[in-house]
Amino acid sequence: AASAASAASAASAASAASVASAPPEESKRAMLSFALPALGIYLSAPLLSNIDNAFVGRTTGAAGLAALSPATICTDQALYLFSFLGRAATGLVSRAYARDLPGREEAASAAGSPALFAALAAGGALTASYAAAPRMLRLLGTDPSLIPAAASYVYWRGAVAWAALAQAVCLSVVMATRDAVTPLKIIGASCAVNVAGDFLLSAWPLRTGCAGAAAATAAATLFSTAAMVKALRNKRLLPRLRVPDRAELAELLDFAGPLFAITVTRLVGFVAMQRAAARLGMRQLAAYQLGINVVVFFLLFGEPLSQLGQTRLPALIDDVDGRADPLVLERTLRSVLTLGAVGALLVGTAAAATLAFASGTFTSDPAVLAMAGESVPAVFLTVAAAVFAVTVDGTMMASRDFGFMLAQGVGSMLMQLALLPRCRSVSAVYLTFGARLGLYGVGCVARALTGGGALGRALRRGRRRAMERTAVGQE
């Protein structure tokens, strides 16, 4: 009897400790207090891309704007291919930091170390590969007259690819500890460096076009990487640079392997869209470049909501059987999805308004402006679908439902690849992207609601426990 009482007491204490150390339930207002600073961080890169577009489009015309399209495929989209490292760092560090226990800073730092090593290794290899920039551009079917300008952009941006990937991992480490203000300050300062460089190198006193815009971005990348490393050191969160051991590598690959495959399916879609737009003609490609930058800029309004899912839900999923209130996970998920749905409509409207009324900021070519105006409805639908899909994506990563994510990604990619050859306008190219993301978002939500995957099973267990408690209370 004493042994049984002791065991019961220990179980009760363990349950109480689990509840006490689990993250508290948060209101939508508390979520927004994290999401709004995070929004500024995620918008910085596409904002700077649009500033590059404005300087290049105004100083070199439609040809310079068209040259940026294949150039950014080689740089921004290649960096996106390795975005799984930052996402893996978020998942690993957020779980290590989730419980309010002594030494969690050291645990978070150690959890981020394998991802930082991989980022520097991959970034170094990527930087070396850009020596073959002209060949890359020819493989993309780039007009020969655009290759010199596009290659100059790739050379400058490629030289700091290692820093860009390391910065992404460092940013993920900070964000996983639910600090969005520190990186926002750093990114804001780097934006100022970039804009000043764009003005000096692309407008006055030098007018070096694509090369100047890329050099300014490269300088800002080095500045922000150094500042991020310093901030992590001050917070005792800087991951040590070392070769990961077998166990750490296995844990990283558990995240990174599936995420890499998922990222490849998305990158294939982006490349196929650029090639479909290029087949339509140079001015259509310039209009596509203008519009896709607006789409990507506003798509990232969903990233803070994705971060909410990635940083809030893992501990709730793991702790659904130990909490005093088993429905906290369901309410938190509902709040995240509600914010995502409302945000999708608002952000889609803002994207459409930007393309309708601000296209003249990027180009004065009448034909390009006319095609941009025709694309406004398609951009609204695409951005709305994208913001909600990105929000849902965070909940899927929190539950590590990578198999389903990959299956959905491959299926929607094949659908998009089948539709793109039939596109006869820039608007149609955008809509293939919107249809793909809409299908993905609906499929993921349906899986959770029907009890599939780790998230769906945790929701089902939480509801069952709540019903059992209600029944006990009524007795």
Side-chain angles (χ1 to χ4, degrees), residues 442-460:
V442 170
C444 290
V445 171
R447 180 170 173 80
L449 293 179
T450 55
L455 178 58
R457 290 192 296 271
L459 289 171
R460 191 167 51 190

Side-chain angles (χ1 to χ4, degrees), residues 3-4 10 50 71 98 117 119 122 133 166 172 212 221 226 238 276 314 330 382 402 408 420 448 462:
S3 175
N50 280 295
F117 175 84
S172 294
T221 299
L238 180 64
E330 182 171 334
T382 299
F402 300 132
Q408 282 284 93
L420 281 169

